[in-house]
Amino acid sequence: MNVFAGVGGSAGEGGGAGAGTGAAARDADFGALPELTPHKMAVCHLVQVFAPPAQQQQQQAPPFPFDSVAHHNRLGLFLFALTRSCEDFLEPPLEELLRQLKAVDDLVNGWLCEQLTTTLAGLNSPDDLFNFFEKLRGVLTSPEGGNVEDEFLDPNSQLGVFLRCCILAFHSMTFEGVCHLLANLVAYCNSAEASYDLAEDEDFNGEMEMGDPMDADIGVRSGVFDRYTQGYATESHMGESSSSLIHAPISLHNFDEADIFKAEDNPTCLRSRWQLEAFLNQQADVLEKDPSSVPLNSFNNTMTQLQTLAPELHRVQFLQYLNALCHDDYVASLDHLHRYFDYSAGMQGLFSRSLSPHQDNIVGKYESALLCLGNLHCYFGHPKKALEAFTEAVRVSQMNNDDSCLAYILGAISNLLSKIGISSTVGLIGSRYSLGNNIGLGTPLSIQQQLLVLLKRSLKRADMLKLTSLLSFDHISLAKFDLKHVQRPLVSFGPNGSTKLRTCPADVCKNLRLSSHVLSDFGADGLAIANDNGSFSTSWLRNLSDASSSWRSSSTKPRKLITNDFDNFHFHAQPSPIPTSVLQLAGSAYLMRATAWEHYGSAPMVRMNTLVYATCFADAASSSELSLAYVKLIEQLAVFKGYSAAFCALKLAEEKFPSSTNSQIHLLKMQLLHERALHRGHLRIAQQICDEFGVLSSSVSGVDIELKTEASLRRARTLLAAKQFSQAAAVANSLFTTCYKYNMQVENASVLLLLAEIHRKSDNAVLGLPYALASQSFCKSFNLDLLEASATLTLAELWLALGSNHAKRALSLVYQSLPMILGHGGLELRARSQIVLAKCHLTDPEFSVSEDPCAVLDPLNQAAEDLQVLEYHEMAAEAYYLKAMTYNHLGKEYEREEAAVCFKEHVTALENPCDEEDSLAY
């Protein structure tokens, strides 16, 4: 029977040439010849217990001391995780190994821990070491005269390769090396003597929890012990990334306190090169997930020490570049990026798919460096420099026939064009007519047409080269493009010219659905193998303490109550093996769906897709994307539940994402404060917040264009609330010009609606009608259903302002918009529609209030209730005024006086605002 058999190798070919290729590949993972350490020897002993020599098996399954197959498999999974984990670039001490082993050792009363400590303590001479490794040979070979089928552990499996490497490393050591190994082994065992006592059954009670850093009697090397135990906090993981967002900075930056990291003090404590590379990948995940928790200088000191120990690890420079990027240090990030590509002279390109040793190593390096440089400039808001770097990268990629890198560059250019505003029509790649010539035109294309061409080129190349992740990204980018742009044909004349001038939601949904195929494609084209960097095993070990606590509590119960303890272990301790990058792309599709439904106006679909993302992809999400999901949910709370509920949720979000370090949470807080200040009539506070919006955006033209648009919109609304109509109209007109310049048609619909509102409130209803109609037309073109309903409601108000003769037309428009507003609109929009409905009835000369008072009072009561939640004094005063007038017409004096009192309260609060500073508190 073969356990953990190697892929592609059979039992009979364990030592033959047919299995040599798989063994060589695995040997490469562990390094050419890993350095033998006491920790590796401890793992070797446990492997020997797991797979005893064939002559000791005596045909029993499972072997002694395991009482079940599940118990035996549990130790196998534990050993597999130990050989693959990359928790740190230092191996764990013995006390940490014993603590992890307790989770497997509970069912045999500590036999495994006792055997391990006894065996290691009995190795007192070179002869003892020689005998120890000779016994390990019996695990991999059959006894004399035995069958090949008696072999228990496949030499080409993960554990088999690990044993072979350790045996080879021992036999390659000099006598002085063996003596140093013995000395290190003594220190390794002594480090656990004061902190580990073999516990009896009665010691395993509820007061002693495994993995608790405050557990008693940890006296020796407490700093080392704390450093490792803090990394094994209870958490659930999804994806390739296994780094703890909360505890990783502690384990990463305590290097200065414990002087155990110098090469001269601990020359044999480092892991293999493969595990060091995996550790660096994990730290990159930490920087992406929670960059604010990683101190800049402390992290750089750590990476400097690691580079001193392993100068050939050039990725350390790339990590320092990422760290400087996350801390917005332009000079340091640029310096580390140059150092990374300057010092990694023998490295192939980041996107090279060739494994041929004869390939020119310089090919792919220069264009990869240019791509990273372009992304750096894009991040810091330097669009011209970014385009220059991308253009040069395209030229070099085409010259070197680097199709993979070229596909990524095209994706990066399209991402840049979608984020920044560029009004020029000059070709981005090559000459002014480069893109136009390729499609048979002699005129330059607009920026939007160039963006579409680039997206389709990148999508085609990614599909051809089987770049699954890039293919998913391009589908998401195309969905975003289809959401905001009407795809006019490049040749828009002639009998076949299309007259369709509307976006297509079906295309958006199709691209988002195709982008999610990255999950189903996982494992194909070597995607899973390429991401197999040990993070899964590290996460498995970290979650082991949580599962062991549940076994500990169950071990005190009668054995007959334990039906399947392995199911419990599997449920608690197994993370997801899907890489973080794959999960992030799949999750981004759900965030994009939420954004699409925001445009289309379906609030339930927005909440559903955002909750799916926050529930299923939170562990793999980056800090920016997860905070965006929180922002969307809090915005929904503010619109439908009021500011009290929204600010309660905002406090929870700020605990997870401090607003001082997360721009999205900070912007959300400012938006909520501005909305509440406007509703309360605190115009000075609202203007102050508008000024802060203006400061946050970059002064570079085209950069932060969405933030600049937001600031201008809020400034115009503040001026409108202050009844400064001419200034508000001037700001709105300037904003419309900017949006038209940068082809921001979706934003133009909102600006036109604001202009109509300004003219309505300034008693120029006739001038407001064209703006409302234009906004309605934009909304129909881009399928902005909820905004179209709001524009229809504004149109009804404008007709109503022209006189009672137009009351019937206004009422028809209100009824046309009510289904969408009542089904998907928020508190403010619903209250506004109810007030307009009541005004239409009251203005209509043919309507009699005395015959049908409920047609007026019911909408007004509902509007007053909603506006009370929003603290919208101006609109609430209008609702109570109409109620008072209605009750007066009906002759109900008591109800009229109640409504009049409420009207006076809201008018007083609006005209004489007090405690304005409270608007900044929540």
Side-chain angles (χ1 to χ4, degrees), residues 381-448:
H382 307 151
K384 292 184 179 179
K385 291 184 178 180
L387 285 175
E388 289 176 1
F390 288 146
T391 303
E392 180 67 12
V394 168
R395 186 188 65 80
V396 177
S397 297
Q398 291 174 338
M399 183 175 62
N400 293 333
N401 295 323
D402 194 344
D403 292 334
S404 300
C405 189
L406 182 60
Y408 280 99
I409 295 169
L410 293 176
I413 295 176
S414 62
N415 183 53
L416 172 66
L417 293 182
S418 65
K419 285 185 176 181
I420 65 173
I422 302 178
S423 59
S424 173
T425 57
V426 177
L428 296 176
I429 301 176
S431 68
R432 178 181 177 88
Y433 305 100
S434 59
L435 290 177
N437 287 336
N438 289 337
I439 57 174
L441 297 178
T443 57
L445 303 180
S446 68
I447 290 298
Q448 286 68 39

Side-chain angles (χ1 to χ4, degrees), residues 30-48:
F30 288 103
L33 193 59
E35 189 171 8
L36 193 59
T37 62
H39 174 73
K40 290 186 176 66
M41 292 180 61
V43 176
C44 287
H45 169 76
L46 293 176
V47 173
Q48 187 178 18

Side-chain angles (χ1 to χ4, degrees), residues 123-144:
L123 300 176
N124 298 319
S125 66
D127 289 338
D128 293 335
L129 290 179
F130 179 81
N131 294 332
F132 174 82
F133 284 101
E134 280 300 308
K135 290 180 181 179
L136 292 179
R137 290 179 178 271
V139 177
L140 300 170
T141 57
S142 301
E144 293 184 6

Side-chain angles (χ1 to χ4, degrees), residues 63 119 149 257 287 299 301 357 414 487 504 520 691 751 797:
T119 300
E149 294 180 356
E257 278 96 11
L287 286 172
F299 184 89
N301 292 337
S414 62
Q487 290 194 28
C504 185
S520 59
D691 295 338
V751 177
E797 290 180 290

Side-chain angles (χ1 to χ4, degrees), residues 684-756:
R684 185 177 62 83
I685 299 298
Q687 183 60 45
Q688 177 183 336
I689 297 174
C690 283
D691 295 338
E692 293 182 14
F693 265 104
V695 171
L696 290 176
S697 58
S698 173
S699 59
V700 180
S701 176
V703 179
D704 293 335
I705 191 66
E706 293 182 357
L707 182 56
K708 293 175 182 176
T709 304
E710 175 86 6
S712 297
L713 269 175
R714 293 192 176 275
R715 186 183 172 205
R717 289 182 56 202
T718 305
L719 292 171
L720 176 61
K723 301 187 184 306
Q724 299 178 14
F725 302 115
S726 58
Q727 296 182 32
V731 173
N733 281 313
S734 174
L735 179 58
F736 178 82
T737 304
T738 302
C739 293
Y740 182 80
K741 176 182 178 181
Y742 293 110
N743 200 28
M744 301 170 64
Q745 305 298 347
V746 174
E747 289 76 7
N748 264 339
S750 299
V751 177
L752 288 169
L753 190 57
L754 177 61
L755 282 168

Side-chain angles (χ1 to χ4, degrees), residues 656-669:
K656 187 175 182 66
F657 311 100
S659 58
S660 58
T661 58
N662 191 290
S663 59
Q664 291 174 328
I665 297 295
H666 183 60
L667 285 175
L668 173 65
K669 181 178 73 173

Side-chain angles (χ1 to χ4, degrees), residues 67-228:
D67 58 352
S68 66
V69 174
H71 186 204
H72 184 236
N73 288 341
R74 186 184 304 165
L75 178 62
L77 290 173
F78 174 69
L79 293 174
F80 182 85
L82 278 179
T83 58
R84 298 288 295 178
S85 69
C86 51
E87 173 66 18
D88 204 342
F89 60 86
L90 299 173
E91 293 179 342
L94 180 58
E95 62 263 28
E96 181 61 31
L97 177 62
L98 294 175
R99 283 184 174 275
Q100 295 173 0
L101 189 58
K102 280 184 182 179
V104 185
D105 205 15
D106 280 350
L107 300 180
V108 290
N109 300 325
W111 186 89
L112 294 175
C113 293
E114 184 179 8
Q115 280 293 108
L116 176 62
T117 54
T118 302
T119 300
L120 294 180
L123 300 176
N124 298 319
S125 66
D127 289 338
D128 293 335
L129 290 179
F130 179 81
N131 294 332
F132 174 82
F133 284 101
E134 280 300 308
K135 290 180 181 179
L136 292 179
R137 290 179 178 271
V139 177
L140 300 170
T141 57
S142 301
E144 293 184 6
N147 273 336
V148 179
E149 294 180 356
D150 294 335
E151 178 188 351
F152 191 81
L153 186 66
D154 189 346
N156 298 316
S157 66
Q158 177 73 26
L159 298 182
V161 172
F162 178 80
L163 280 186
R164 290 160 55 194
C165 289
C166 291
I167 294 173
L168 179 61
F170 174 76
H171 288 289
S172 301
M173 295 176 69
T174 62
F175 181 75
E176 290 79 4
V178 173
C179 293
H180 281 297
L181 179 61
L182 273 176
N184 292 331
L185 182 61
V186 172
Y188 181 73
C189 295
N190 291 339
S191 67
E193 288 181 357
S195 60
Y196 174 75
D197 296 321
L198 196 60
E200 301 295 336
D201 282 345
E202 56 268 22
D203 294 332
F204 294 121
N205 50 42
E207 298 178 357
M208 292 185 63
E209 298 275 329
M210 183 202 307
D212 187 357
M214 301 306 294
D215 218 340
D217 300 329
I218 308 291
V220 177
R221 295 183 67 180
S222 58
V224 181
F225 172 71
D226 289 341
R227 179 177 161 280
Y228 282 97

